[in-house]
Amino acid sequence: MNSIDLFVKNWGSKNAMVPINSNDIAELEAKFEAVLPDAYKYLLTTYGLVHSPNVLTRICDLGVDVSEVQDFLSLDDVFSLSKLYEMTGMEQGHILFASDCKGNMFCFKLSNCRAEHEDSPVWFFNQGLCTVQKVSDSFSQWLDEFNNL
């Protein structure tokens, strides 16, 4: 979980983050009939919702082609926005968990969350193009992309 700890240290805003109760995460998993990746649950139960506005600044400064993450979604938003985005054009079967500054979303494929996994691939939903593409083989690896900036 070093990549998660390093991400929060490097990019988490100084606002107080409140860890999320594992029972609340279990309720969300029951709604989706899925098991969220352990790495993601570690972030939530250890740190809570991370706000990382400085990632965009760093990406712009370096001129790299990486989609920035700005906010991790509340558990209520994870469920409701996953359903809402499906109704507005995103293909079905994704669990949204974070957004960039433009309303694009990072997500897990529901099919990858049917069994318990330590980590799962991360996908990016481009709202303007209505496309979903894989951006990383795992949640931890995805966070390491930002840690390496």
Side-chain angles (χ1 to χ4, degrees):
M1 302 301 167
N2 289 340
S3 57
I4 296 168
D5 298 329
L6 186 59
F7 177 82
V8 173
K9 179 183 172 197
N10 288 340
W11 300 109
S13 70
K14 302 304 177 204
N15 296 340
M17 293 179 277
V18 178
I20 294 174
N21 187 301
S22 58
N23 292 333
D24 295 334
I25 297 170
E27 284 180 29
L28 177 65
E29 290 175 318
K31 287 180 182 177
F32 279 111
E33 298 178 1
V35 180
L36 294 167
D38 290 344
Y40 173 63
K41 290 192 283 192
Y42 172 82
L43 172 78
L44 295 178
T45 58
T46 305
Y47 298 104
L49 305 177
V50 179
H51 176 64
S52 53
N54 294 329
V55 170
L56 177 60
T57 303
R58 182 72 175 159
I59 288 170
C60 290
D61 287 348
L62 295 174
V64 294
D65 187 24
V66 176
S67 296
E68 100 287 348
V69 61
Q70 184 164 320
D71 289 300
F72 284 81
L73 304 175
S74 72
L75 298 187
D76 288 339
D77 284 348
V78 166
F79 188 75
S80 63
L81 290 177
S82 293
K83 299 303 178 193
L84 178 66
Y85 272 60
E86 284 180 353
M87 292 182 342
T88 60
M90 182 179 74
E91 67 183 66
Q92 293 187 350
H94 294 88
I95 301 172
L96 306 179
F97 66 84
S99 67
D100 68 7
C101 66
K102 301 173 200 145
N104 300 309
M105 295 289 177
F106 295 94
C107 52
F108 302 115
K109 278 202 180 264
L110 191 55
S111 59
N112 291 335
C113 297
R114 292 296 184 200
E116 194 165 333
H117 295 287
E118 181 177 321
D119 221 335
S120 289
V122 173
W123 299 78
F124 179 73
F125 173 65
N126 182 314
Q127 188 176 15
L129 299 175
C130 244
T131 58
V132 179
Q133 70 180 47
K134 186 175 171 183
V135 292
S136 183
D137 289 331
S138 74
F139 182 72
S140 299
Q141 187 180 63
W142 176 67
L143 292 179
D144 274 336
E145 289 180 31
F146 303 108
N147 292 335
N148 293 330
L149 294 175

